[in-house]
Amino acid sequence: MLDTLDAAAVRRWCADGLAALRHHQDEIDRLNVFPVPDGDTGTNLVLTLTSAHHALALDLDNSPEGARPPHSRVLRLMARGALLGARGNSGVIVAQILHGLADALAGTAQVRGRDLAGALDAAAAAAYAAVASPVEGTVLTVAAAAARGAATADSDDLATVARAASRSAAAALARTPEQLPALARAGVVDAGGRGLCVLLDTLTAVVTGAEPSAAEPPGRLPVVVAREAGSPEFAYEVRFLLDAEPPAVERMRATLAGLGDSLVVVGTGADDGELPTWHVHVHVNDIGAAIEAGIVAGRPHQIAVTRFDDQPDGTPAAEPADPAARPGDGPGRAAVVVAAGDGLAALFVAEGAVVVAGRPSTGELLDAIRSTGATQVVVLPNDPNTQAVARAAAEEAQHLGLRVSVVPTRSPVQALAALAVRDPGRRFDDDVIEMAEAAGACRSAEVCVASREALTMAGRCQPGDVLALVEGEVHVIGTDLGRTCEALLDRMLGGGGELVTMLLGADAPAGLGEALRDYAARRWPFVEVHSYDGGQPFYPLLVGVE
């Protein structure tokens, strides 16, 4: 049993944590609330910890014989490796938790119980600060509960505190269905929270010398997650980072409180005499007035606007660059797009974009951003689960002096709409806003085949059923691919539209595109229809309507 958490223990935690996540990988993947075979939280966490483990292995290989770096250095290397390898929202949040631990323990000579408790509290705070609109019932809730449990133990005994953190995290995980209705309907716990519990159990095992718990969380196969609802009185979510003094922030807070609701203003503290940075979130109808309040208070940046009617709530709409920038800040601009499928890659390359395949890590996206040679770069993730990775890569790139903004596209059809309005003649931040608006105005949908039985918003589906989803929600369940695609077009165009873009997937049968174009010409003769071979997996058809 360990009295302190030393460098060797951190290395064992990383290695054993990776092994434990691999053991539970499929289980955690199945907790993703979706009936399509792309649930990948467990896989993303494994890849994130793999990168952390490689970072430590490379450092160990390059260390002098017999050298033992202090725990703080090993934690920082582990956190840095996790960040660069982070995939998916949960991977980014876990990397941020490790970063918070490393920062909190950097100046601690010996890590005992109370030191670990304080570090877990700092790690939870760092995780919440990394999320613009924190949602309870997720990995954030589990991290906060672990910190509270550790603090309640009130002990310098490292094993006592580690056990208390693990127990509190497990109890919070079991309560996540009470906080998120989608989890309750599915009868499952939060996937990211489950992954964090695995890591905390492993840490406890390293400290105590015991075997980590192999208990499986209760639950059955998951169903489709429901969207959160936006404010009924207000049409827009506005978010931005703000560099400002506390008195000015308090005046801004009062102004924003009079403009809307769901107001959250969180400070991250100041570094080296710089102004404190604040995360600002509010629901309003007057976007301009909300942003103006930020300008009056200080220097707003990474402004994001979501229109609830157009986007799944809780998904940020854009992160434009610093509004204080002017033309001529750098020698060039570029776009980096995430795309799975040879046809999609060819389409985006034709639009002048640099393409990153699949669901990349933070480091892979960062490499792509740097490879453009541009100082102003827009990133289009094309998947809700890649947006956090894109934001992490953008933040890393900004440390290198690059101006990077993320337009959080959820589908390749939205990225095509965004690239179509790109104009290098505009100011960079104005161009990003135009791209974000074009993406938001493009309603997206997809058709896929269910891999499991699930209760969806359109009823219960069985394995092999054809599902048509609009903005992430199942609207049609069918047994015939062609007829389900036709029903999807009717559902999309029934709400209006002038331009339809169809991307045919790798599993699309021959003639599907032509048949759907003929159907649209008969049923919707005044609508312009374009179809392309996208080659994407899982989805025989992606649709965008503008």
Side-chain angles (χ1 to χ4, degrees):
M1 189 173 296
L2 300 180
D3 293 326
T4 65
L5 190 69
D6 57 16
V10 175
R11 290 185 183 279
R12 289 201 303 275
W13 178 34
C14 186
D16 292 355
L18 174 57
L21 284 173
R22 284 174 174 159
H23 176 73
H24 292 284
Q25 180 176 344
D26 290 342
E27 167 212 325
I28 297 173
D29 278 343
R30 290 195 303 271
L31 292 176
N32 282 126
V33 186
F34 204 69
V36 184
D38 62 353
D40 57 1
T41 296
T43 301
N44 288 338
L45 289 175
V46 166
L47 293 171
T48 299
L49 261 292
T50 297
S51 180
H53 187 254
H54 285 170
L56 293 187
L58 289 172
D59 174 71
L60 185 63
D61 291 343
N62 295 330
S63 298
E65 186 69 26
R68 291 293 182 268
H71 65 269
S72 58
R73 179 167 176 270
V74 176
L75 272 171
R76 193 167 297 281
L77 285 169
M78 181 179 174
R80 177 69 175 170
L83 177 64
L84 293 179
R87 298 173 190 260
N89 296 330
S90 294
V92 171
I93 292 174
V94 166
Q96 190 67 22
I97 289 171
L98 293 174
H99 182 69
L101 285 172
D103 282 351
L105 297 175
T108 305
Q110 290 188 322
V111 181
R112 298 182 63 80
R114 287 186 174 85
D115 301 311
L116 177 60
L120 287 171
D121 184 63
Y128 271 89
V131 178
S133 301
V135 175
E136 297 302 331
T138 65
V139 62
L140 298 175
T141 305
V142 175
R148 289 193 300 272
T152 302
D154 193 24
S155 173
D156 263 336
D157 182 70
L158 189 63
T160 297
V161 171
R163 289 192 190 102
S166 290
R167 286 196 298 267
S168 295
L173 177 68
R175 292 192 299 271
T176 55
E178 301 171 14
Q179 297 168 294
L180 282 179
L183 297 178
R185 288 196 301 272
V188 297
V189 294
D190 178 70
R194 172 60 176 150
L196 180 58
C197 283
V198 169
L199 289 177
L200 290 171
D201 287 346
T202 306
L203 176 61
T204 300
V206 168
V207 170
T208 62
E211 290 295 324
S213 170
E216 303 287 331
R220 55 181 173 80
L221 289 179
V223 298
V224 170
V225 65
R227 296 189 338 186
E228 298 172 43
S231 302
E233 297 87 0
F234 301 100
Y236 298 92
E237 176 193 57
V238 175
R239 298 182 299 105
F240 53 85
L241 297 181
L242 177 70
D243 299 333
E245 295 287 0
V249 171
E250 287 306 311
R251 292 191 292 270
M252 177 202 67
R253 191 194 304 266
T255 301
L256 293 178
L259 291 174
D261 69 1
S262 298
L263 175 62
V264 179
V265 181
V266 180
T268 61
D271 293 322
D272 300 327
E274 298 290 331
L275 287 174
T277 299
W278 309 80
H279 295 260
V280 182
H281 168 276
V282 66
H283 294 177
V284 296
N285 287 324
D286 192 337
I287 301 170
I291 296 175
E292 183 180 357
I295 294 172
V296 171
R299 175 179 172 270
H301 51 105
Q302 294 191 24
I303 301 168
V305 178
T306 300
R307 185 169 64 182
F308 292 123
D309 284 345
D310 289 344
Q311 305 238 14
D313 299 298
T315 303
E319 292 187 3
D322 182 353
R326 294 291 181 267
D329 287 340
R333 296 184 188 175
V336 173
V337 182
V338 179
D342 293 340
L344 288 178
L347 285 173
F348 290 124
V349 168
E351 292 290 337
V354 172
V355 177
V356 182
R359 291 179 174 173
S361 67
T362 304
E364 289 168 343
L365 267 182
L366 180 60
D367 288 343
I369 291 169
R370 296 176 66 182
S371 74
T372 65
T375 58
Q376 300 172 336
V377 182
V378 177
V379 179
L380 305 169
N382 292 342
D383 177 8
N385 203 38
T386 306
Q387 290 174 11
V389 174
R391 288 193 291 271
E395 184 175 344
E396 289 294 308
Q398 287 164 357
H399 294 326
L400 301 176
L402 305 177
R403 297 183 59 225
V404 181
S405 287
V406 179
V407 175
T409 48
R410 305 180 309 279
S411 169
V413 292
Q414 293 182 323
L416 290 172
L419 290 172
V421 302
R422 190 168 49 144
D423 182 359
R426 283 192 291 251
R427 294 171 66 244
F428 181 60
D429 54 321
D430 291 339
D431 202 32
V432 172
I433 290 174
E434 290 294 327
M435 294 176 70
E437 289 181 349
C442 178
R443 289 176 287 136
S444 63
E446 55 266 345
V447 174
C448 61
V449 177
S451 63
R452 61 190 66 164
E453 180 181 358
L455 179 63
T456 77
M457 302 298 289
R460 186 170 295 277
C461 70
Q462 301 294 331
D465 281 348
V466 182
L467 309 180
L469 300 92
V470 180
E471 306 289 357
E473 292 184 359
V474 176
H475 279 227
V476 181
I477 300 175
T479 56
D480 179 81
L481 177 62
R483 291 181 180 177
T484 304
C485 290
E486 292 174 355
L488 174 62
L489 289 177
D490 289 340
R491 184 68 60 95
M492 295 282 286
L493 291 172
E498 299 175 352
L499 173 65
V500 174
T501 301
M502 298 189 301
L503 301 175
L504 301 171
D507 297 328
L512 177 63
E514 182 178 356
L516 292 177
R517 286 196 303 271
D518 291 343
Y519 176 81
R522 296 192 308 271
R523 184 76 172 82
W524 305 95
F526 301 108
V527 174
E528 183 178 352
V529 179
H530 298 279
S531 66
Y532 306 94
D533 289 327
Q536 68 274 1
F538 300 126
Y539 300 98
L541 181 68
L542 300 176
V543 180
V545 174
E546 302 173 61

